[in-house]
Amino acid sequence: MRQGRWATEGSMPLTTRVWGKRLGIVGLGRIGRAVARRAEGFGMPVAYSGRAKKPDLPYAYYPTPAALAPQVEIMVCCAMGGPTTQGLIDAAAIAALPPGAIFVNVSRGSCVDEPALLAAIRAGRIGLAALDVFWNEPAIAAELSTLPNVLLAPHAASGTVETRKAMGRLMQDNLAAHFAGRPLPTEIRP
């Protein structure tokens, strides 16, 4: 639209829909669970990979992202960042994704082997990548902005008035629980 191509080129090529696609979530914590709930609304079968199986959830569990990858058409990384998840979605996991898969990273750039992801995008094995986190953000790999099947956004999902107010309330709730000797609503575990 911004380049005026619709007016000059006519109909755009067909794309794909998410309805009914098999979704794989790497990291089924608070955010991963929210993604899963939304996916259910699109009739998407959900599977996940994480540190441990969550017996309270009906989704198929795979112990590693590489084991999850061949089972899904869309993979979303929702894992926490840090040294324990650095390179979690490695070259083997990326190679195991079916041809044309969609890859989304909304967690941390460090969770993904970015050179392996770039190679898969370049080779056409990844149909679409949607990224709002990057290995070296905000100085992202220049090549990412040149690839037509990559959607880039700054990591700003919490940048709303409502979300920041909710974050402040949650912090207050955690402090109140701590000083009252109650369990924290969102305890962070090592």
Side-chain angles (χ1 to χ4, degrees):
M1 295 298 297
R2 291 179 191 200
Q3 297 169 352
R5 289 178 42 215
W6 190 18
T8 60
E9 296 178 21
S11 295
M12 294 282 111
L14 295 177
T15 61
T16 191
R17 64 183 187 187
V18 298
W19 191 91
K21 294 275 191 278
R22 295 168 295 150
L23 176 68
I25 301 172
V26 177
L28 205 64
R30 185 176 49 84
I31 294 171
R33 286 179 189 230
V35 169
R37 283 192 306 274
R38 286 160 178 81
E40 288 174 355
F42 287 96
M44 301 174 79
V46 175
Y48 71 100
S49 174
R51 289 183 288 188
K53 185 173 183 172
K54 307 215 184 277
D56 62 317
L57 296 174
Y59 313 127
Y61 170 75
Y62 294 88
T64 65
L68 173 67
Q71 312 304 320
V72 303
E73 297 163 283
I74 301 171
M75 180 181 274
V76 180
C77 181
C78 298
M80 67 177 195
T84 61
T85 59
Q86 186 167 335
L88 178 65
I89 300 176
D90 58 12
I94 292 167
L97 285 166
I102 296 170
F103 179 78
V104 180
N105 189 3
V106 295
S107 68
R108 296 291 180 260
S110 62
C111 293
V112 179
D113 180 338
E114 195 169 276
L117 178 62
L118 269 166
I121 295 167
R122 252 188 256 116
R125 288 190 13 269
I126 299 288
L128 173 69
L131 311 169
D132 80 339
V133 291
F134 311 91
W135 177 256
N136 194 29
E137 61 186 52
I140 69 168
E143 183 180 7
L144 285 169
S145 62
T146 67
L147 298 165
N149 57 340
V150 176
L151 176 65
L152 305 172
H155 189 60
S158 73
T160 67
V161 171
E162 297 84 358
T163 301
R164 296 292 167 90
K165 283 182 179 180
M167 291 166 73
R169 279 191 304 276
L170 184 58
M171 179 191 68
Q172 290 172 337
D173 293 346
N174 275 295
L175 287 169
H178 170 75
F179 289 112
R182 297 187 315 262
L184 302 181
T186 55
E187 182 178 351
I188 298 174
R189 296 180 192 109

